[in-house]
Amino acid sequence: MKMTNAEYSEYIKGMAPKSPLAGDLVRAFLVGGLICCLGEGLSMLYGDWAGLDEKDAATAVSMTLVFLSALLTGLGIYDRLAQFAGAGTLVPITGFANAVVSPALEFKTEGFILGTAVKMFTIAGPVITFGLSASVVYGLILCLLT
């Protein structure tokens, strides 16, 4: 059976299940918002109740969110949450921690060096590299302008 590209595209569209876009958007918004609310709650906990200044409280919040994301990824909970919420779990710091831990867990059977240590930066490595490179360029520009 010969099909043109346009006919094949129409055939695939007809076969693919329809995505419940409104439900996906609501779940992503709610879960992403809850993660952000957790961060704000931790910020108040560390700042107001524990007596940390704003900068130290922000550092403690980041560390806590990374730890919780890595722990939930290791327990398999974060993946189920991501299936439910979709892009809502990509709140930058938690999604980044998940992106580092997931490949590390997946390849742990290959050993510590060739499995965990190498593979944990498969996804996150380009992001880290670009972030460091961009910060150096921006720093040089700032030095030249001031």
Side-chain angles (χ1 to χ4, degrees):
M1 178 164 136
K2 289 205 167 221
M3 291 182 159
T4 65
N5 286 341
E7 291 171 337
Y8 183 71
S9 294
E10 288 299 316
Y11 174 73
I12 293 299
K13 282 183 188 176
M15 298 298 289
K18 301 293 181 211
S19 176
L21 184 61
D24 290 349
L25 291 172
V26 168
R27 286 192 303 276
F29 176 78
L30 290 175
V31 172
L34 286 173
I35 293 171
C36 292
C37 285
L38 173 64
E40 281 299 313
L42 288 170
S43 181
M44 290 181 353
L45 174 76
Y46 292 137
D48 297 340
W49 298 334
L52 296 178
D53 64 27
E54 190 175 333
K55 185 176 180 181
D56 290 338
T59 301
V61 168
S62 297
M63 291 169 51
T64 303
L65 288 175
V66 166
F67 171 76
L68 289 174
S69 177
L71 178 66
L72 293 176
T73 299
L75 296 174
I77 297 170
Y78 200 91
D79 292 336
R80 289 190 301 243
L81 181 63
Q83 286 176 346
F84 171 76
T89 57
L90 294 178
V91 174
I93 197 161
T94 57
F96 188 74
N98 176 264
V100 171
V101 174
S102 291
L105 290 174
E106 185 177 341
F107 291 96
K108 69 181 177 186
T109 57
E110 295 181 23
F112 180 73
I113 301 297
L114 295 177
T116 302
V118 171
K119 296 295 183 179
M120 76 178 171
F121 293 111
T122 302
I123 295 173
V127 175
I128 294 169
T129 302
F130 178 77
L132 287 173
S133 301
S135 67
V136 168
V137 170
Y138 299 148
L140 290 173
I141 292 171
L142 182 64
C143 285
L144 292 173
L145 294 177
T146 57

